[in-house]
Amino acid sequence: MTTTVPRTEPTVATTEEPAGKRSRHARSFGLPVATALVMGNIIGGGIFLLPASVAPFGTVSLVAFAVLTVGAIALALVFGRLAARHPRTGGPYVYAREAFGDFAGFLAAWSYWITAWVSNAALAVAAVGYLDVLVPLHDSKPATMAAALLLQWLPALANLAGTRYVGAVQLVATVMKFVPLLFVAVGGLFFFDADNLGPFEASGSGALGAISASAAILLFSYLGVESAAVSAGEVRDPRRNVGRATLLGTAGAAVIYLLGTLAVFGTVAHDELIGSTAPFSDAVNAMFGGAWGGTAVACMALVSMVGALNGWTLLSAQTPYAAARDGLFPAFFARKRRGVPTAGVLVTVVLASLLTVYNYTAGADGVFEILVLITTFTATVPYLLSTAAQIHYLASGQAHRVDRARLVRDGVLASVAAAFSLWLVAGSGYAAVYQGVLFLFAGVLVYAWMSARNRRTAAETEGSAGRA
């Protein structure tokens, strides 16, 4: 016999449109847009620097990439299985709360929200570096800061316009960055020169040590695999399409990552690649000659980052929205217009903007980088809670929640996904884990306040009913 965790279900007033009265600006995502959301959020701007980042370890880093891809796909499949059971907006928050109760759900929502808005600030700042290639800002701090803020607010405005426009922007952005990246990845194979690869293991720490070290850099390349699950409430036929979109989007990103890195390794000499600040640009120049590669790569990177900002802005509002509907986040996060949690979008973009301004004005070296590194830890909290929820269902004998015909396969996938999530935590580093835990503990205080308020409201309601 199994027991369930008792918990109250506070009623939260929302302004979400009824399904039958959905605004013409709101539109459910089909499989192509949901897949584009996953792929677009996974592939941000990091791919344009990854080959140079792992080049010092040698081609053994490709082995690390392959191992990580297996872990990411296992996690994608776990999200697909969980979404089939709970096809609601919120993703990891919903899974953690259903399995372990309000507190676990709150931690998943809180940590994911931190990850989203800090990452948005990081993406915008990084995108300005590529924008500077196209529109020289001449090292003007005000102009640079204004550009970073503009790159955050344009996707936010697209989100506020409704899910219809979010999906359109995401699909166009994903196609625009997927096609040229695939062109470079496949085209590079025709110019491939094995002499450019350099040694298999170049770090001198042994193959196993090199795999672990390069994996620490590559681990965060797959953040965003949960994108369709978080937005399940906006996906048509979520029980079927969330899992498919998650798997297709993750696999598509993996193909781009692996082929792109291999193509750069084979077209740029190893010694040159180690010191490169624009490896894809160097690869294009090596393949076709000339110096136009820098401009081409800058355009690709900018489109990629704007697409990622568009998708992450939506995700940053969806999880607080789901938590607010359950009374675990402030009620204003539950306000929804045109299919989008408008309050969540606005609060998120304001926080990200403030962090961006602080980054440009504080003058403290490394503060922004430290905050970004913390998000690599906070992102793993909902991953671990989600895989733990799947393991909980598989091990607890809840027949109505477990597909017994696939019990062994689901168990293996959940175990691999859990190992992948733990590897992400380890790769974050001691400092990030230490400071990330402080962020989580700050959330505990918020939970204490919300929980106390909910209990007081419930007590007042019961008292009123008793007097009546």
Side-chain angles (χ1 to χ4, degrees):
M1 179 180 296
T2 60
T3 58
T4 57
V5 179
R7 59 179 182 270
T8 59
E9 298 287 347
T11 301
V12 178
T14 72
T15 55
E16 183 177 7
E17 304 95 338
K21 298 181 180 180
R22 186 182 290 265
S23 165
R24 65 186 179 89
H25 300 287
R27 180 175 295 173
S28 297
F29 300 149
L31 179 61
V33 173
T35 302
L37 184 66
V38 175
M39 189 180 299
N41 287 350
I42 292 176
I43 303 177
I47 187 174
F48 297 97
L49 296 176
L50 277 178
S53 299
V54 298
F57 302 103
T59 52
V60 71
S61 57
L62 294 175
V63 178
F65 230 142
V67 173
L68 291 174
T69 298
V70 172
I73 289 178
L75 186 60
L77 290 169
V78 168
F79 276 124
R81 297 293 297 141
L82 289 167
R85 294 190 186 100
H86 308 294
R88 306 200 311 271
T89 293
Y93 157 74
V94 173
Y95 314 146
R97 182 171 182 262
E98 288 293 329
F100 308 120
D102 287 349
F103 185 59
F106 174 84
L107 286 182
W110 178 262
S111 58
Y112 193 80
W113 185 53
I114 292 172
T115 300
W117 63 263
V118 176
S119 296
N120 274 7
L123 272 171
V125 171
V128 169
Y130 290 101
L131 179 64
D132 190 53
V133 176
L134 305 175
V135 183
L137 301 175
H138 305 297
D139 296 323
S140 169
K141 183 176 290 187
T144 302
M145 185 167 61
L149 293 175
L150 181 65
L151 287 169
Q152 290 176 53
W153 280 90
L154 286 178
L157 292 175
N159 273 265
L160 292 174
T163 52
R164 174 180 182 178
Y165 303 100
V166 175
V169 171
Q170 196 64 27
L171 188 59
V172 171
T174 300
V175 170
M176 287 182 66
K177 70 182 175 184
F178 183 85
V179 171
L181 282 173
L182 190 60
F183 172 75
V184 173
V186 175
L189 301 180
F190 292 96
F191 296 88
F192 193 90
D193 184 351
D195 292 336
N196 289 327
L197 293 177
F200 177 72
E201 197 283 294
S203 66
S205 59
L208 186 58
I211 289 176
S212 298
S214 56
I217 297 174
L218 299 169
L219 276 171
F220 315 113
S221 303
Y222 287 108
L223 295 183
V225 65
E226 74 290 341
S227 301
V230 173
S231 296
E234 319 307 327
V235 177
R236 287 196 294 270
D237 191 7
R239 294 183 186 275
R240 180 185 182 193
N241 284 335
V242 167
R244 294 170 67 194
T246 302
L247 181 59
L248 290 173
T250 304
V255 169
I256 292 294
Y257 279 148
L258 291 169
L259 284 181
T261 303
L262 181 61
V264 173
F265 273 20
T267 53
V268 182
H270 181 258
D271 291 341
E272 180 184 346
L273 183 59
I274 290 177
S276 174
T277 57
F280 269 79
S281 176
D282 293 338
V284 171
N285 291 339
M287 286 188 283
F288 304 108
W292 54 274
T295 301
V297 170
C299 290
M300 287 189 292
L302 198 57
V303 170
S304 179
M305 290 182 178
V306 170
L309 278 166
N310 180 66
W312 275 105
T313 298
L314 176 63
L315 296 189
S316 66
Q318 294 284 28
T319 298
Y321 163 78
R325 294 198 68 181
D326 294 327
L328 299 182
F329 261 50
F332 62 81
F333 280 104
R335 296 171 185 167
K336 204 170 190 182
R337 289 285 187 276
R338 298 177 174 180
V340 174
T342 51
V345 169
L346 288 171
V347 171
T348 294
V349 72
V350 168
L351 287 174
S353 298
L354 291 174
L355 183 57
T356 301
V357 172
Y358 174 77
N359 175 60
Y360 283 116
T361 58
D365 293 337
V367 171
F368 190 77
E369 289 74 11
I370 290 172
L371 288 172
V372 171
L373 188 58
I374 291 171
T375 67
T376 60
F377 164 73
T378 58
T380 64
V381 175
Y383 288 1
L384 276 170
L385 288 171
S386 296
T387 54
Q390 176 72 339
I391 292 172
H392 167 74
Y393 294 141
L394 295 174
S396 62
Q398 298 182 43
H400 65 291
R401 295 182 181 273
V402 177
D403 186 341
R404 295 187 179 278
R406 296 191 279 190
L407 182 61
V408 174
R409 189 193 71 177
D410 284 353
V412 171
L413 288 173
S415 299
V416 173
F420 176 70
S421 301
L422 286 172
W423 200 3
L424 282 169
V425 174
S428 302
Y430 292 109
V433 172
Y434 168 73
Q435 296 175 73
V437 169
L438 295 180
F439 271 76
L440 290 182
F441 282 177
V444 172
L445 300 178
V446 176
Y447 176 79
W449 174 64
M450 292 299 302
S451 178
R453 194 186 70 167
N454 289 337
R455 291 198 176 197
R456 185 172 63 250
T457 301
E460 291 174 353
T461 302
E462 291 177 3
S464 299
R467 288 192 297 271

